[in-house]
């Protein structure tokens, strides 16, 4: 168990954790192209939600392979997609890892940086 000493530190920790969870919650939307994985309809963030293909109430886990972005009005509930008359348009999968060096650019052409970057 994590022990946080002060209220201020606890508040900062909680705020950071909530931000991380919020970011994680919208990752499937980004990975799925902001489309409902049952209907193919393009969704705004407020129109979609994270859905467990195998519901947690039936033993489903919070893993990439069990999470999809779907319309809030898909009315799947705690049923499997075929029980709700829905069909997955694509198999859920974890996003590919991207090395941090792929995001770094040598804008000022510093020669020493070229050792670490693919240029």
């Amino acid at each position: 168990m994590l022990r946080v000493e002060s209220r201020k530190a606890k508040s900062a920790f909680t705020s950071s954790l909530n931000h991380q969870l919020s970011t994680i919650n919208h990752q499937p939307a980004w990975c799925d192209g902001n489309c409902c994985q049952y209907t193919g309809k393009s969704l705004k963030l407020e129109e979609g939600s994270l859905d467990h293909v195998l519901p947690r109430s039936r033993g489903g886990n919070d893993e990439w392979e069990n999470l999809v972005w779907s319309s809030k009005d898909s009315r799947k509930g705690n049923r499997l997609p075929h029980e709700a008359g829905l069909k997955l348009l694509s198999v859920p999968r974890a996003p590919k890892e991207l090395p941090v060096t792929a995001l770094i650019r040598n804008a000022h052409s510093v020669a020493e940086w070229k050792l670490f970057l693919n240029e």
Side-chain angles (χ1 to χ4, degrees):
M1 184 169 158
L2 180 66
R3 184 174 173 196
V4 180
E5 294 297 327
S6 71
R7 288 183 185 180
K8 195 173 196 179
K10 184 177 182 180
S11 175
F13 175 78
T14 304
S15 174
S16 173
L17 183 61
N18 287 339
H19 175 71
Q20 289 175 5
L21 292 174
S22 170
T23 302
I24 290 168
N25 189 37
H26 290 106
Q27 294 241 343
W30 175 74
C31 293
D32 292 339
N34 287 340
C35 292
C36 175
Q37 293 303 292
Y38 298 116
T39 64
K41 178 184 171 190
S42 182
L43 302 171
K44 296 178 184 174
L45 280 180
E46 62 272 7
E47 295 174 334
S49 68
L50 195 59
D51 182 53
H52 291 80
V53 178
L54 176 62
R56 288 187 292 181
S57 63
R58 292 183 165 192
N61 297 331
D62 292 330
E63 296 175 352
W64 285 106
E65 292 77 13
N66 190 40
L67 297 171
V68 294
W69 192 248
S70 69
S71 174
K72 285 184 178 177
D73 61 357
S74 67
R75 297 196 167 107
K76 183 177 149 290
N78 74 340
R79 298 178 288 177
L80 296 173
H82 71 275
E83 293 172 347
L86 301 169
K87 183 178 178 184
L88 273 174
L89 300 177
S90 65
V91 177
R93 57 182 166 69
K96 294 179 181 176
E97 291 185 22
L98 182 66
V100 73
T101 55
L103 304 175
I104 299 173
R105 300 287 178 254
N106 189 2
H108 301 289
S109 298
V110 178
E112 291 82 9
W113 286 21
K114 291 182 181 183
L115 294 170
F116 305 102
L117 302 174
N118 295 330
E119 290 187 343

